[in-house]
């Protein structure tokens, strides 16, 4: 791919006490693509997302967004939206209030309504989070992340708390919204099937290292290491 990457990670390292959680991660994410980071629990996926979001400073390495070094910028100045695993909606605010919360300007409510419409939640805009199902809360969280028009959204295990029946449908809807809005997304999951069906490309991580990045087909058919093959279920 010759296009300029939207996000570029160069040699990202992070240590917590004696534990090296990220051991020099390089990655390029291109405009409009959905890239899934896949790997077992504890391999550093969430930490990597937090470094990209600016919630965690790397010990070494750089984060570039559209070619600009944002390694030292605070989260709110990066133009990155994120959806946490537990959605982290404000319990006392309505769905509309949650989506409008971070927006500025006179038209913030209209923009929040538009974001809710995109995820099919217009009818639920006055409900509080506890009056919504897991899948509905997930969509509100996505609307909130997308409402400011971020360059990039980071999704940390966004479907993991949904039951299996709801998961595939929600995933499909989220994929549609990302593609319709042309939003670039980086998703973290430990679910092979999810990564293979949701992402345009995937990266397999293990112990703080990114072992392989490629299309689901490339990674599945031509795993670079025995671990990648085994993790994708090739040897089962
Ligand atoms: P994953 O998302 O792949 O499950 P994480 O990035 O959450 O992995 O965690 C990687 C490792 O770093 C784990 O061993 C975890 O316990 C450790 N870790 C994550 N955050 C912290 C922190 N703030 N302080 C100390 N250790 C942490």
């Amino acid at each position: 791919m010759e296009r300029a990457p939207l996000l570029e990670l160069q040699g990202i390292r992070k240590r917590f006490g004696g534990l090296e959680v990220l051991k020099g991660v390089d990655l390029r994410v291109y405009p409009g693509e959905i890239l899934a980071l896949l790997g077992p629990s504890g391999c550093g996926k969430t930490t990597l997302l937090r470094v990209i979001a600016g919630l965690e400073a790397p010990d070494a390495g750089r984060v570039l967004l559209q070619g600009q070094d944002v390694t030292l910028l605070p989260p709110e100045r990066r133009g990155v939206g994120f959806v946490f695993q537990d959605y982290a909606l404000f319990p006392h605010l309505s769905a509309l209030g949650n989506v409008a919360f971070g927006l500025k300007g006179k038209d913030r409510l209209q923009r929040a309504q538009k974001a809710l419409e995109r995820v099919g939640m217009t009818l639920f805009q006055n409900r509080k989070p506890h009056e919504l199902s897991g899948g509905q809360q997930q969509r509100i969280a996505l609307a909130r992340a997308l409402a400011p028009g971020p360059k990039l959204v980071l999704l940390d295990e966004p479907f993991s708390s949904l039951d299996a029946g709801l998961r595939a449908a929600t995933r499909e809807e989220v994929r549609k919204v990302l593609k319709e809005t042309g939003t670039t997304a980086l998703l973290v999951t430990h679910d092979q099937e999810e990564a293979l069906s949701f992402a345009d490309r995937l990266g397999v991580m293990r112990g703080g290292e990114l072992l392989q990045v490629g299309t689901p087909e490339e990674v599945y058919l031509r795993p670079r290491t025995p671990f990648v093959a085994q993790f994708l279920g090739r040897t089962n």
Side-chain angles (χ1 to χ4, degrees):
M1 250 184 278
E2 283 170 35
R3 284 180 301 160
L6 180 89
L7 169 73
E8 182 166 5
L9 303 179
Q10 299 176 341
I12 299 292
R13 291 183 176 274
K14 181 71 187 176
R15 169 180 287 283
F16 290 116
L19 184 69
E20 194 172 27
V21 174
L22 297 172
K23 300 177 181 167
V25 175
D26 297 310
L27 177 67
R28 290 175 162 205
V29 184
Y30 292 90
E33 80 170 335
I34 299 176
L35 194 142
L37 288 176
L38 183 65
S41 185
C43 73
K45 305 182 297 296
T46 299
T47 305
L48 192 62
L49 281 199
R50 290 176 58 83
V51 166
I52 297 165
L55 300 168
E56 206 77 72
D59 299 328
R62 302 202 303 163
V63 179
L64 305 177
L65 275 169
Q66 294 178 314
Q68 193 205 342
D69 187 341
V70 300
T71 317
L72 299 175
L73 279 189
E76 63 277 10
R77 290 186 50 208
R78 297 188 180 205
V80 172
F82 30 88
V83 178
F84 295 105
Q85 204 168 340
D86 61 359
Y87 315 137
L89 295 175
F90 301 114
H92 59 292
L93 292 181
S94 66
L96 184 63
N98 264 282
V99 177
F101 185 79
L103 300 177
K104 294 192 177 69
K106 280 210 183 90
D107 63 343
R108 55 195 281 275
L109 284 181
Q110 280 106 303
R111 279 157 58 218
Q113 275 163 342
K114 189 144 199 335
L116 283 172
E117 194 183 314
R118 242 191 257 129
V119 297
M121 290 299 291
T122 299
L123 288 174
F124 300 89
Q125 65 175 25
N126 294 321
R127 297 237 191 135
K128 299 265 175 70
H130 75 270
E131 298 166 322
L132 296 165
S133 71
Q136 291 167 340
Q137 290 184 37
Q138 204 280 336
R139 282 191 264 172
I140 302 295
L142 184 74
R144 186 173 65 176
L146 292 178
K151 301 188 260 278
L152 172 72
V153 282
L154 305 173
L155 308 165
D156 188 359
E157 302 268 7
F159 312 111
S160 62
S161 60
L162 305 179
D163 66 56
L166 203 56
R167 204 175 296 150
T170 307
R171 209 158 61 197
E172 212 29 64
E173 283 167 28
V174 168
R175 192 181 152 82
K176 202 166 141 234
V177 171
L178 292 174
K179 291 297 173 189
E180 278 172 6
T181 53
T183 309
T184 310
L186 184 58
L187 162 97
V188 152
T189 179
H190 63 271
D191 180 333
Q192 296 85 328
E193 192 235 316
E194 184 160 296
L196 289 166
S197 62
F198 188 76
D200 301 315
R201 287 197 302 150
L202 54 93
V204 181
M205 283 184 74
R206 181 196 198 184
E209 289 176 306
L210 197 49
L211 300 176
Q212 185 171 2
V213 182
T215 63
E217 246 184 317
E218 283 165 359
V219 178
Y220 188 78
L221 296 177
R222 290 189 294 281
R224 201 175 285 157
T225 72
F227 175 82
V228 172
Q230 186 227 328
F231 196 72
L232 291 177
R234 289 280 330 256
T235 55
N236 294 346

